[in-house]
Amino acid sequence: FTSLDKKIICSHNIDLERETEGRGFIDEKKYSELKKITCRPKRNKNLPLLSEVFDYFGKEVLLIIDVKTKNMWDISPAINLVKLIKKFKRKKSVIVSSFNPLIVFIIKWMAPKILTGFIIENQSYLRLTNIIHPDFFHPRGDTINDEVLSYAEKKRIPINTWTINNALSWTWLHKKGVKGIITDEIPQFSQKL
């Protein structure tokens, strides 16, 4: 999400109440206010800037950046993100994904070499790929079925699915041709796969 002063903040939610000790919305506060807010449950952590995450991980780690917006027509996060990715020379080490097809379209239009993923919860949105041309489908794991797999194969668009938090699910999905997973349980997978 983007702060009031256009800093890109790493947070799963735009509202501060769900994962921090703060109140209000990220886009309504300046970064100077946001950096004082601590996260739950680890009270010694703050919401990081995406630039800090880029510095921490370097270019060797592929990052999936999920862009969320309050409304469909808000394209400013996409514009700011493309500028930051170019500044940090991360075009080849990120996948920018979004539920918002307009964000995916804008990223592709501004920087065709940045990989994009279209996050899908509803199969009726699959057809939008003919307009936005994502590099990946990012469907929720429990929505993957033969129709989704067939469509992805026909369009030659690999699937990275979310949120897969057990090795049994990943094994089944991998056999079905899914290329990658987005998980909350990294230690579990590093031990079992």
Side-chain angles (χ1 to χ4, degrees), residues 4-108:
L4 189 61
D5 50 349
K6 305 300 179 206
K7 303 282 186 187
I8 300 177
I9 310 295
C10 294
S11 176
H12 191 264
N13 302 296
I14 195 165
D15 60 305
L16 294 163
E17 290 87 352
R18 283 199 247 180
E19 62 184 311
T20 75
E21 299 296 328
R23 299 274 178 258
F25 296 96
I26 288 172
D27 65 338
E28 295 174 358
K29 295 187 182 296
K30 291 183 177 181
Y31 177 64
S32 58
E33 297 172 82
L34 292 168
K35 70 180 181 180
K36 297 174 187 172
I37 297 172
T38 56
C39 297
R40 288 189 308 254
K42 297 179 181 179
R43 299 186 192 283
N44 62 339
K45 300 286 183 187
N46 301 81
L47 294 171
L49 291 169
L50 182 57
S51 58
E52 294 170 334
V53 173
F54 282 167
D55 281 338
Y56 181 81
F57 284 106
K59 294 179 184 173
E60 297 78 37
V61 175
L62 176 68
L63 298 174
I64 298 177
I65 302 169
D66 177 9
V67 179
K68 295 178 183 171
T69 56
K70 269 188 173 176
N71 69 67
M72 182 175 171
W73 306 110
D74 182 10
I75 62 168
S76 63
I79 295 166
N80 293 331
L81 180 57
V82 167
K83 289 177 185 174
L84 191 67
I85 290 169
K86 287 180 176 180
K87 177 182 175 184
F88 278 81
K89 299 181 172 128
R90 295 294 305 249
K91 285 189 217 176
K92 296 182 180 178
S93 58
V94 297
I95 300 173
V96 178
S97 65
S98 184
F99 287 97
N100 183 341
L102 189 55
I103 294 293
V104 176
F105 179 81
I106 293 294
I107 298 282
K108 272 306 195 204

Side-chain angles (χ1 to χ4, degrees), residues 164-167 170 181 183-193:
I164 305 303
N165 290 329
N166 67 68
W170 168 234
I181 60 166
T183 183
D184 301 317
E185 302 292 335
I186 293 170
Q188 177 184 346
F189 282 97
S190 63
Q191 293 169 5
K192 296 198 177 188
L193 298 179

